[in-house]
Amino acid sequence: MELFDLPIQTIYLSTLIFSGILIILYVFFGDMADGIGEGSFLNPVLILAFITFLSAAGYIFEMTTSLNSAVILFIAAVIAVLLDILLNIFVLIPLASAEESLVYTDESLRGRVGTVLIPIPENGFGEVLIENISGRISKPASSYENTVIAEGSKVLIVEVANGVIKVIDYKEL
């Protein structure tokens, strides 16, 4: 079959190459379009993947079978939809719901309990180790009440200012 005076295989192959290039560009520059169609079927990743799957399946079937081009287009569309659904369910949705990163914010440290690594002198600085599920954080610390806090003591983080946490001695009930 021919379309626009070109063999259908050429159209499938050209579409495959063009959509592959668009996917590569989207990988590099997709953050600029962040949030467009997020959480819907109009997600650019799903649209580009559908076009890629459709053209790849169409090209393969055109080259290997003698079926009618309309039947091949229908089969390729079904395959592309199924692969798109699998991509969405097993890759995109888990990635979207995964933890963003191991990064923490200063606000997230307030109210947490840590252990003094380097003793905190009066009106001076020491170091506190904060442990959580994702790892350990070591931060410079000063006493909130300007008191001496010994090594190994448990402390409660009261505030964070300029990268230094202000702590008080923590007594468990």
Side-chain angles (χ1 to χ4, degrees):
M1 179 177 171
E2 288 192 4
L3 188 64
F4 305 117
D5 292 331
L6 291 171
I8 194 74
Q9 296 93 337
T10 305
I11 294 173
Y12 280 130
L13 186 59
S14 300
T15 306
L16 178 62
I17 292 169
F18 182 70
S19 63
I21 290 170
L22 285 179
I23 286 175
I24 291 170
L25 289 174
Y26 188 79
V27 166
F28 288 120
F29 303 111
D31 287 340
M32 290 192 287
D34 200 24
I36 296 175
E38 208 169 284
S40 74
F41 68 93
L42 293 177
N43 187 335
V45 173
L46 291 175
I47 293 170
L48 289 172
F50 175 80
I51 294 168
T52 303
F53 294 146
L54 177 76
S55 58
Y59 180 74
I60 289 170
F61 279 112
E62 283 288 345
M63 296 303 287
T64 60
T65 67
S66 61
L67 294 173
N68 184 352
S69 291
V71 173
I72 290 175
L73 180 62
F74 177 76
I75 293 171
V78 170
I79 290 172
V81 167
L82 291 175
L83 290 175
D84 236 17
I85 290 170
L86 292 174
L87 174 72
N88 194 28
I89 291 173
F90 292 113
V91 176
L92 297 179
I93 291 174
L95 280 177
S97 64
E99 289 293 324
E100 299 248 343
S101 67
L102 300 179
V103 176
Y104 62 90
T105 62
D106 288 346
E107 292 82 28
S108 69
L109 295 178
R110 277 204 248 135
R112 297 180 67 183
V113 177
T115 306
V116 177
L117 291 177
I118 298 174
I120 303 171
E122 186 177 334
N123 295 319
F125 296 95
E127 190 171 355
V128 171
L129 178 68
I130 306 153
E131 295 188 47
N132 60 17
I133 295 170
S134 62
R136 297 176 177 182
I137 304 164
S138 178
K139 297 285 285 179
S142 66
S143 175
Y144 185 75
E145 300 169 335
N146 292 325
T147 58
V148 176
I149 302 176
E151 178 183 349
S153 300
K154 295 283 185 192
V155 290
L156 178 68
I157 300 170
V158 178
E159 86 180 39
V160 181
N162 298 325
V164 177
I165 57 176
K166 305 264 185 180
V167 297
I168 58 173
D169 206 11
Y170 180 72
K171 306 275 192 264
E172 291 188 38
L173 297 175

